[in-house]
């Protein structure tokens, strides 16, 4: 099991916003689940659309981007930085924890899913799909098998999914063909469950479920991560108990794309405050 870090974060209090970042729209799947589980929390989202995709970049580059974004969120006075990107979680989680010197809580999207698997599966085969970076890091496989050697993990990189989703190719022939081409791989034969190891993928979750004739449990990390975040905020006395919905969320992007705006409006029902902010020039 991966245990939550429990510390007394002297610089944080429950009224502060939650900082969330991803390379683009993917983290919105997590942000939206957080708003459902914790409607009173205020979000500061950063989508690094100028550097998207993260999935084929080196670990060193991902760490640099992540530190810069974490600095920005820290300056925005967040109480927690949620790395809503599997690639950045795989490469930069430990570095960010060291970098911020435990001043604030840092949360990744991989550990909650690993814990969920440990609680719900045994002696079975589980598939993981994600970016090249996430899959090559071997992080899911390592952590799942560390918990339980009876689970066989089959990992497959599906690098076209992120650009496909960012370009708006969902629920059409092109995306169905790409999904079929990747997921027919023998690597995924006989899996009981498939982890969507990229926060972009819940956007095509139903297409993936349909590909498997609804016979495979497709694990969408967004809700698992939101529940885990709630537990971690509670443990650290950082949970905002205000249940009336906060309308103060702010969405920053390092480059403006109309698709980001459309997806953000879809997830947050038009109520979004979108700001372009090139933090690399500041
Ligand atoms: N949402 C990111 C992830 O979970 C996407 C990575 C990318 O930008 O390639 O890995």
């Amino acid at each position: 099991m991966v245990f939550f870090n429990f510390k007394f974060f002297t610089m944080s209090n429950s009224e502060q916003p939650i900082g969330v970042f991803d390379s683009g729209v993917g983290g919105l799947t997590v942000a939206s689940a957080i708003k459902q589980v914790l409607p009173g929390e205020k979000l500061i989202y950063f989508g690094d659309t100028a550097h998207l995709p993260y999935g084929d970049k080196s670990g060193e580059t991902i760490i640099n981007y992540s530190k810069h974004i974490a600095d920005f969120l820290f300056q925005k006075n967040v109480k927690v930085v949620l790395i809503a990107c599997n690639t950045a979680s795989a490469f930069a989680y430990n570095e960010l924890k060291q970098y911020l010197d435990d001043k604030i809580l840092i949360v990744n999207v991989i550990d909650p899913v690993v814990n969920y698997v440990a609680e719900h599966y045994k002696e079975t085969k589980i598939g993981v799909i994600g970016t090249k970076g996430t899959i090559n890091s071997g992080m899911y496989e390592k952590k799942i098998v560390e918990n339980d050697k009876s689970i066989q993990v089959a990992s497959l990189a599906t690098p076209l999914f992120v650009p496909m989703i960012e370009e708006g190719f969902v629920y059409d022939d092109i995306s169905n063909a790409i999904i079929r081409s990747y997921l027919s791989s023998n690597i995924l034969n006989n899996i009981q469950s498939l982890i969507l190891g990229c926060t972009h993928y819940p956007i095509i979750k139903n297409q993936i479920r349909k590909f498997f004739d609804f016979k495979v449990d497709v694990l969408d990390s967004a809700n698992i991560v939101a529940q885990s975040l709630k537990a971690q905020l509670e443990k650290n006395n950082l949970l905002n108990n205000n249940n009336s919905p906060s309308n103060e969320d702010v969405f920053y992007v390092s480059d403006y794309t109309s698709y980001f705006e459309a997806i953000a409006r879809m997830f947050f029902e038009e109520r979004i405050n979108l700001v372009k902010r090139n933090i690399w020039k500041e």
Side-chain angles (χ1 to χ4, degrees), residues 48 51 54 58-71 91-92 95-96 99 279-280:
D48 192 10
H51 294 130
Y54 276 13
S58 69
E60 192 188 346
T61 298
I62 302 295
I63 291 167
N64 282 339
Y65 292 161
S66 301
K67 283 182 176 171
H68 214 97
I69 298 167
D71 275 339
F91 288 114
E95 279 72 12
L96 280 192
Y99 179 63
I279 58 173
W280 280 267

Side-chain angles (χ1 to χ4, degrees), residues 143-159:
K143 290 188 171 194
I144 290 171
V145 174
E146 239 166 47
N147 279 340
D148 183 350
K149 290 197 176 37
S150 79
I151 296 181
Q152 186 193 344
V153 181
S155 308
L156 180 73
T158 48

Side-chain angles (χ1 to χ4, degrees), residues 28-247:
L28 293 172
T29 59
V30 183
S32 147
I34 292 171
K35 291 301 275 190
Q36 276 161 33
V37 175
L38 303 166
E41 296 281 358
K42 178 181 159 192
L43 296 184
I44 308 271
Y45 186 92
F46 191 89
D48 192 10
T49 42
H51 294 130
L52 178 105
Y54 276 13
D56 53 12
K57 304 227 165 33
S58 69
E60 192 188 346
T61 298
I62 302 295
I63 291 167
N64 282 339
Y65 292 161
S66 301
K67 283 182 176 171
H68 214 97
I69 298 167
D71 275 339
F72 171 75
L73 293 172
F74 190 60
Q75 281 157 23
K76 291 280 164 204
N77 199 30
V78 298
K79 61 185 172 189
V80 52
V81 171
L82 168 61
I83 312 171
C85 169
N86 286 264
T87 316
S89 292
F91 288 114
Y93 173 57
N94 289 332
E95 279 72 12
L96 280 192
K97 279 210 306 184
Q98 276 171 19
Y99 179 63
L100 285 173
D101 205 18
D102 291 329
K103 285 202 231 2
I104 51 171
L105 180 63
I106 310 280
V107 175
N108 70 69
V109 288
I110 295 179
D111 290 339
V113 176
V114 168
N115 288 340
Y116 182 92
V117 167
E119 280 162 24
H120 293 85
Y121 296 94
K122 262 208 169 331
E123 292 173 7
T124 188
K125 180 175 172 187
I126 290 184
V128 182
I129 54 172
T131 65
K132 280 190 215 160
T134 301
I135 296 306
N136 291 342
S137 78
M139 204 54 91
Y140 274 100
E141 187 166 354
K142 189 173 139 257
K143 290 188 171 194
I144 290 171
V145 174
E146 239 166 47
N147 279 340
D148 183 350
K149 290 197 176 37
S150 79
I151 296 181
Q152 186 193 344
V153 181
S155 308
L156 180 73
T158 48
L160 280 179
F161 283 179
V162 169
M164 175 188 98
I165 291 166
E166 288 279 340
E167 285 298 324
F169 288 103
V170 291
Y171 295 99
D172 60 2
D173 294 346
I174 292 176
S175 53
N176 275 330
I178 295 174
I179 288 169
R180 194 178 331 110
S181 167
Y182 278 132
L183 302 187
S184 331
S185 164
N186 290 341
I187 292 174
L188 299 179
N189 281 354
N190 304 318
I191 52 171
Q192 181 186 356
S193 166
L194 180 70
I195 297 172
L196 302 186
C198 172
T199 53
H200 278 69
Y201 299 177
I203 294 171
I204 52 168
K205 181 179 177 182
N206 284 335
Q207 277 173 284
I208 293 175
R209 291 180 67 224
K210 190 155 181 253
F211 171 81
F212 288 109
D213 278 334
F214 304 97
K215 287 180 184 138
V216 165
D217 310 335
V218 177
L219 296 185
D220 164 355
S221 64
N223 193 46
I224 297 173
V225 170
Q227 296 292 351
S228 161
L229 176 67
K230 182 182 178 195
Q232 295 190 65
L233 290 176
E234 243 162 11
K235 274 200 166 160
N236 289 285
N237 278 330
L238 292 174
L239 190 66
N240 187 338
N241 289 315
N242 174 13
N243 270 333
S244 48
S246 159
N247 293 324

